[in-house]
CSV table of all heavy atoms in Angstrom, one decimal:
chain,number,residue,atom,x,y,z
E,15,ARG,N,-1.2,6.1,-6.9
E,15,ARG,CA,-1.3,6.1,-5.4
E,15,ARG,C,-1.2,4.7,-4.8
E,15,ARG,O,-1.6,3.7,-5.4
E,15,ARG,CB,-2.6,6.7,-4.9
E,15,ARG,CG,-2.7,8.2,-5.1
E,15,ARG,CD,-3.8,8.8,-4.3
E,15,ARG,NE,-5.1,8.0,-4.5
E,15,ARG,CZ,-6.0,8.4,-5.3
E,15,ARG,NH1,-5.9,9.5,-6.1
E,15,ARG,NH2,-7.1,7.7,-5.4
E,74,GLY,N,-16.4,3.4,1.8
E,74,GLY,CA,-15.0,3.4,1.6
E,74,GLY,C,-14.7,2.3,0.5
E,74,GLY,O,-13.8,2.5,-0.3
E,93,TYR,N,-4.3,-5.3,5.8
E,93,TYR,CA,-3.5,-6.1,6.8
E,93,TYR,C,-3.7,-7.6,6.4
E,93,TYR,O,-2.8,-8.4,6.4
E,93,TYR,CB,-4.0,-5.8,8.2
E,93,TYR,CG,-3.2,-6.5,9.3
E,93,TYR,CD1,-1.8,-6.1,9.5
E,93,TYR,CD2,-3.7,-7.6,10.0
E,93,TYR,CE1,-1.1,-6.7,10.4
E,93,TYR,CE2,-2.9,-8.2,10.9
E,93,TYR,CZ,-1.6,-7.8,11.2
E,93,TYR,OH,-0.8,-8.4,12.1
E,95,ALA,N,-5.6,-9.7,3.2
E,95,ALA,CA,-6.3,-9.5,1.9
E,95,ALA,C,-7.7,-9.8,2.0
E,95,ALA,O,-8.6,-9.1,1.4
E,95,ALA,CB,-5.6,-10.2,0.8
E,102,CYS,N,-17.5,-14.1,-1.7
E,102,CYS,CA,-16.7,-14.4,-2.9
E,102,CYS,C,-17.1,-13.5,-4.1
E,102,CYS,O,-16.2,-13.2,-4.9
E,102,CYS,CB,-17.0,-15.9,-3.3
E,102,CYS,SG,-16.2,-17.0,-2.1
E,129,SER,N,-3.3,-10.0,-12.1
E,129,SER,CA,-3.3,-10.3,-13.5
E,129,SER,C,-2.6,-11.5,-13.9
E,129,SER,O,-2.6,-11.9,-15.1
E,129,SER,CB,-2.8,-9.1,-14.3
E,129,SER,OG,-1.4,-8.9,-14.1
E,131,VAL,N,-1.5,-15.7,-13.2
E,131,VAL,CA,-2.1,-17.0,-12.7
E,131,VAL,C,-1.6,-17.2,-11.2
E,131,VAL,O,-2.5,-17.5,-10.4
E,131,VAL,CB,-1.7,-18.2,-13.6
E,131,VAL,CG1,-2.1,-19.5,-13.0
E,131,VAL,CG2,-2.2,-18.0,-15.0
E,136,LEU,N,-2.9,-17.5,-5.5
E,136,LEU,CA,-2.6,-17.2,-4.1
E,136,LEU,C,-3.7,-16.3,-3.4
E,136,LEU,O,-4.1,-16.6,-2.3
E,136,LEU,CB,-1.2,-16.4,-3.9
E,136,LEU,CG,0.0,-17.3,-4.3
E,136,LEU,CD1,1.2,-16.5,-4.3
E,136,LEU,CD2,0.1,-18.4,-3.2
Side-chain angles (χ1 to χ4, degrees):
R15 285 194 315 262
Y93 188 70
C102 289
S129 70
V131 173
L136 291 171

